[in-house]
Amino acid sequence: MAVVGEEYCDAEERVLTVRKTSHFSPGDGFAAYDHRTGGLAFRADTYGRGHGGGAASAGELALLGPTGEALVTVRRRRPSLHQRWEGFLGARADGQKPLFSARRSSILGGAAAGAIVELLAPLSTSSSCAHAAAELRVDGSFPRRCCRLVLPNAESGAGEAVVAEIRRKVDEGARVVMGRDVFVLRVSAGFDAAFAMGIVLVLDQIAGDAGEDFPMAKIW
């Protein structure tokens, strides 16, 4: 399923270690590293135009490729009771139509209530990665780093498919569960990893830094 681009749809499951790199206003940054190569796959910042080729203006977030090219720009749509965010392909330009929108599942459930992601632009049908689905669902709690991105009715007559999953990072050598600033993003084969990372940016903004922190914990 290509949303940002077919080049981000791997034939095998892709596993990324995602690290939050900044907690200082106005920017919350991320860096995502590929488990197979160890190299930087994506990074993100909210520092505005001119900073790493990123966001179009202050208050927007830019998902960048490893060399700094803008892949997705997300911004909050105002006013919005559900905390609705919109995602744009590349560096957003004035008048550009959004690629997707995302919102909390419920205005009453708080940050852990999940989210609904709606694809607004038609997807290409020229490759096996493409899919005509219009809506996806985030189940679980992003603040607890335990959630999954679900594609309902993935194929005709089939049930739901989990296309991406977020879990807390475990240091196997030290047998320690890391804090929430480091987590694992698993992207299913054939699904767009750049799009999945764009959803991570939105979920982080919906959740904010409110709520309980989850420090490292020893596995016995």
Side-chain angles (χ1 to χ4, degrees):
M1 179 177 173
V3 180
V4 178
E6 294 182 12
E7 62 269 36
Y8 305 109
C9 297
D10 282 15
E12 299 178 352
E13 180 187 66
R14 190 171 186 186
V15 182
L16 302 171
T17 293
V18 184
R19 181 182 300 272
K20 196 163 188 178
T21 59
S22 174
H23 300 275
F24 301 99
S25 179
D28 284 325
F30 283 97
Y33 298 89
D34 192 288
H35 274 212
R36 289 195 297 262
T37 67
L40 180 68
F42 305 103
R43 61 186 179 89
D45 67 46
T46 59
Y47 295 96
R49 185 180 297 278
H51 186 91
S57 63
E60 295 184 346
L61 299 87
L63 177 69
L64 312 177
T67 60
E69 68 278 20
L71 305 178
V72 177
T73 302
V74 298
R75 68 171 182 176
R76 186 172 180 179
R77 181 178 177 179
R78 300 178 184 275
S80 174
L81 293 176
H82 283 266
Q83 288 198 24
R84 183 180 295 275
W85 285 74
E86 295 176 323
F88 300 82
L89 188 63
R92 186 189 67 83
D94 290 341
Q96 181 179 350
K97 293 183 178 180
L99 184 65
F100 68 89
S101 71
R103 61 175 175 81
R104 289 190 315 191
S105 299
S106 169
I107 62 175
L108 302 177
I116 300 296
V117 181
E118 183 181 2
L119 299 175
L120 303 176
L123 303 182
S124 168
T125 57
S126 60
S127 86
S128 59
C129 282
H131 201 284
E135 191 172 274
L136 300 95
R137 187 181 75 246
V138 178
D139 292 339
S141 171
F142 178 77
R144 292 179 177 271
R145 304 301 189 250
C146 182
C147 61
R148 58 185 190 169
L149 182 61
V150 178
L151 178 62
N153 302 319
E155 297 177 0
S156 178
E160 298 179 332
V162 177
V163 292
E165 188 172 18
I166 292 169
R167 294 289 182 186
R168 295 181 68 181
K169 174 75 172 179
V170 176
D171 184 329
E172 298 290 352
R175 298 187 62 81
V176 167
V177 180
M178 306 298 290
R180 66 174 181 169
D181 294 341
V182 182
F183 56 92
V184 172
L185 172 64
R186 293 183 177 273
V187 183
S188 297
F191 192 76
D192 194 318
F195 176 56
M197 271 300 301
I199 299 304
V200 168
L201 301 190
V202 173
L203 293 175
D204 183 66
Q205 292 300 305
I206 290 175
D209 284 328
E212 183 180 0
D213 194 5
F214 298 92
M216 292 189 298
K218 192 75 173 179
I219 302 176
W220 300 101

